[in-house]
Amino acid sequence: MRHALNNRVDLKPRRRALRSTLTSPEARLWSCLQRSQLGSKFRRQHSLGPFILDFYCPSKRIAIE
C-alpha cells in the first residue's frame, strides 16, 4: 500500500485549524492569491509529506511558507 504524499488524511484536522487562524500577513497574501492575480490557482494549508505549506500552486509547483 502506497502512502499519499499530498494532503495526508492524518493532517486534515491541523490543516483546517491553520486555515481558520490565518495571521494578518497570511490573510493579506491569501486575498491576492485567491483572486488569481498571479494567473495560477493556489491552495491554502496544503500538506506535502510531513509538512503543511501555507500556500501551494500545483500547476507551477510553487510553495510559499
Side-chain angles (χ1 to χ4, degrees):
M1 178 182 187
R2 259 184 75 204
H3 294 289
L5 183 63
N6 291 315
N7 280 337
R8 290 179 22 196
V9 175
D10 59 322
L11 294 176
K12 189 172 186 173
R14 179 71 180 134
R15 290 193 316 265
R16 280 187 177 172
L18 289 170
R19 277 194 295 269
S20 67
T21 57
L22 287 176
T23 64
S24 179
E26 287 174 337
R28 280 185 273 152
L29 180 57
W30 179 242
S31 71
C32 294
L33 294 176
Q34 75 182 29
R35 292 190 302 253
S36 297
Q37 291 180 350
L38 299 177
S40 297
K41 185 174 181 174
F42 277 81
R43 296 177 182 167
R44 208 167 35 139
Q45 306 305 337
H46 181 84
S47 63
L48 183 63
F51 306 103
I52 299 177
L53 307 170
D54 288 331
F55 306 102
Y56 179 66
C57 175
S59 65
K60 304 286 186 191
R61 300 177 83 184
I62 297 171
I64 300 173
E65 181 57 36

